[in-house]
């Protein structure tokens, strides 16, 4: 998994959503390339953030 995330950074993918163990609870990890830290947010919130980011670019 780490290699795929590293490759995404090299390709310049600006948004990342990681679906992990907490997916059953509706929690995913959201991060942006411009900010090094990731946040645990609801899946709906992560989708909304991505839509907002795409709409503003």
């Amino acid at each position: 998994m780490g290699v795929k995330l590293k490759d995404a950074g090299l390709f310049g993918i600006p948004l990342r959503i990681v679906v992990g163990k907490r997916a059953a609870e509706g929690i995913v990890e959201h991060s942006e390339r411009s900010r090094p830290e990731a946040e645990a947010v609801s899946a709906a919130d992560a989708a909304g953030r991505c839509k907002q980011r795409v709409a503003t670019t």
Side-chain angles (χ1 to χ4, degrees):
M1 180 67 150
V3 173
K4 291 181 182 183
L5 296 177
K6 190 179 220 180
D7 286 347
L10 290 173
F11 289 129
I13 297 174
L15 301 171
R16 182 175 72 203
I17 297 176
V18 177
V19 179
K21 295 177 183 177
R22 297 182 64 193
E25 302 168 25
I27 304 295
V28 297
E29 187 177 285
H30 173 268
S31 62
E32 295 188 28
R33 190 173 49 146
S34 60
R35 300 165 69 203
E37 68 280 347
E39 295 180 78
V41 298
S42 70
D45 188 32
R49 290 180 185 199
C50 289
K51 286 180 185 178
Q52 182 181 16
R53 175 74 188 267
V54 169
T56 59
T57 54

